[in-house]
Amino acid sequence: MKLQAAVVALLALTAMPSARTEETAAMTGSKPALTYADVRKVSPVLEAYTQNRLLGDVWKRPGLAPRDRSIITLAALIARNQTIEMPYHFNLALDNGVKPREISEIITHLAFYAGWANAMSAVAVAKDVFATRDIGAAQLPVVSVTLLPLDEAAEAQRAAFVQDQFGASFPGVVQYTTDVLFRDLWLRPDLAPRDRSLVTVSALIANGQMAQLTPHLNRAMDNGLTQTEASEAITQLAFYVGWPNVFSAMPVAKDVFAKRPH
């Protein structure tokens, strides 16, 4: 129902740019965001696919909650620095139950997995969405938190493997991977481990980073993502990152599925 309401609202709002959008555009010299009318002038077929297939079909598929679909889509947009659809999807994510502190942590997480500049671009969009919805500091994560418990055995195994492979040649990367990523970032409590995994897997597929997909998809499933949910996540991503990236990911994911205990 939230998605349906959001789509109806979007259709109403995109009939013409809002006064705020026009004012912002005038102040910054930028152009207003695309509307459905704009798309129709260039590609009426694309507009039809957007309304009928993407919003009217893909987003309503069973097997993956709307909240998860929002997390996946935000991760893909941020990872690829595709800001034009971010305002709508930040709002939709909030409507679908993604908390402001979770969005904040998604952006922070992707600074490490998609690059600092892409995260900063997302911040520039999200700050206006947060301001419009009166989201303040009390709803955001704090810097110093009590970290989630660390699986010492699994982390020791991971760290030993990376040290053996790369420690002599890239000691800085190995140090930050251990100290910042896996002993800090991944243990921050305002984004659940399953959701961090979902964000990471989505970003890897979005950017064609298939070499890292096997360990992170396994980690995602260890963190509670089901095979059905993983399959639906990849289906969702096909529309947001393109069929070639998804077809590159599917053999890797299929192999992960096959090798996991049933």
Side-chain angles (χ1 to χ4, degrees), residues 176-191:
Y176 290 126
T177 300
T178 295
D179 295 347
V180 182
L181 261 68
F182 289 103
R183 289 185 173 269
D184 188 358
L185 179 72
W186 274 87
L187 302 179
R188 290 185 56 82
D190 287 300
L191 189 64

Side-chain angles (χ1 to χ4, degrees), residues 155-197:
E155 171 55 17
Q157 184 178 24
R158 183 211 60 78
F161 174 79
V162 173
Q163 176 65 33
D164 181 62
Q165 292 290 310
F166 305 114
S169 300
F170 309 101
V173 176
V174 171
Q175 175 191 342
Y176 290 126
T177 300
T178 295
D179 295 347
V180 182
L181 261 68
F182 289 103
R183 289 185 173 269
D184 188 358
L185 179 72
W186 274 87
L187 302 179
R188 290 185 56 82
D190 287 300
L191 189 64
R194 173 190 176 278
D195 295 340
R196 285 194 187 275
S197 284

Side-chain angles (χ1 to χ4, degrees), residues 211-233:
Q212 298 294 313
L213 185 55
T214 294
H216 277 290
L217 183 54
N218 270 302
R219 187 184 186 97
M221 297 181 79
D222 290 342
N223 285 336
L225 191 72
T226 68
Q227 181 173 325
T228 297
E229 290 169 335
S231 174
E232 278 298 317

Side-chain angles (χ1 to χ4, degrees), residues 125-150:
V125 178
K127 70 179 180 64
D128 292 333
V129 174
F130 283 10
T132 299
R133 297 178 73 125
D134 294 322
I135 294 169
Q139 294 172 267
L140 302 178
V142 296
V143 175
S144 298
V145 294
T146 300
L147 299 177
L148 298 174
L150 177 67

Side-chain angles (χ1 to χ4, degrees), residues 42-231:
V42 175
S43 178
V45 177
L46 178 57
E47 184 215 4
Y49 277 138
T50 301
Q51 294 198 50
N52 300 332
R53 287 298 186 184
L54 183 54
L55 298 178
D57 185 7
V58 176
W59 275 85
K60 297 178 180 180
R61 285 176 58 85
L64 194 64
R67 176 184 178 277
D68 289 339
R69 292 190 184 275
S70 279
I71 289 173
I72 291 161
T73 306
L74 280 182
L77 294 176
I78 295 168
R80 292 163 67 90
N81 198 18
Q82 295 175 329
T83 56
I84 195 165
E85 288 202 341
M86 282 186 195
Y88 169 61
H89 280 289
F90 277 129
N91 277 297
L92 181 57
L94 290 164
D95 291 340
N96 281 338
V98 184
K99 298 175 182 177
R101 59 176 44 89
E102 293 172 326
I103 289 177
S104 177
E105 286 288 336
I106 288 169
I107 294 172
T108 302
H109 191 86
L110 286 172
F112 291 87
Y113 282 91
W116 236 253
N118 286 348
M120 291 299 181
S121 293
V123 166
V125 178
K127 70 179 180 64
D128 292 333
V129 174
F130 283 10
T132 299
R133 297 178 73 125
D134 294 322
I135 294 169
Q139 294 172 267
L140 302 178
V142 296
V143 175
S144 298
V145 294
T146 300
L147 299 177
L148 298 174
L150 177 67
D151 186 335
E152 295 284 356
E155 171 55 17
Q157 184 178 24
R158 183 211 60 78
F161 174 79
V162 173
Q163 176 65 33
D164 181 62
Q165 292 290 310
F166 305 114
S169 300
F170 309 101
V173 176
V174 171
Q175 175 191 342
Y176 290 126
T177 300
T178 295
D179 295 347
V180 182
L181 261 68
F182 289 103
R183 289 185 173 269
D184 188 358
L185 179 72
W186 274 87
L187 302 179
R188 290 185 56 82
D190 287 300
L191 189 64
R194 173 190 176 278
D195 295 340
R196 285 194 187 275
S197 284
L198 194 57
V199 167
T200 307
V201 166
S202 299
L204 293 175
I205 295 173
N207 285 335
Q209 301 289 343
M210 302 311 163
Q212 298 294 313
L213 185 55
T214 294
H216 277 290
L217 183 54
N218 270 302
R219 187 184 186 97
M221 297 181 79
D222 290 342
N223 285 336
L225 191 72
T226 68
Q227 181 173 325
T228 297
E229 290 169 335
S231 174

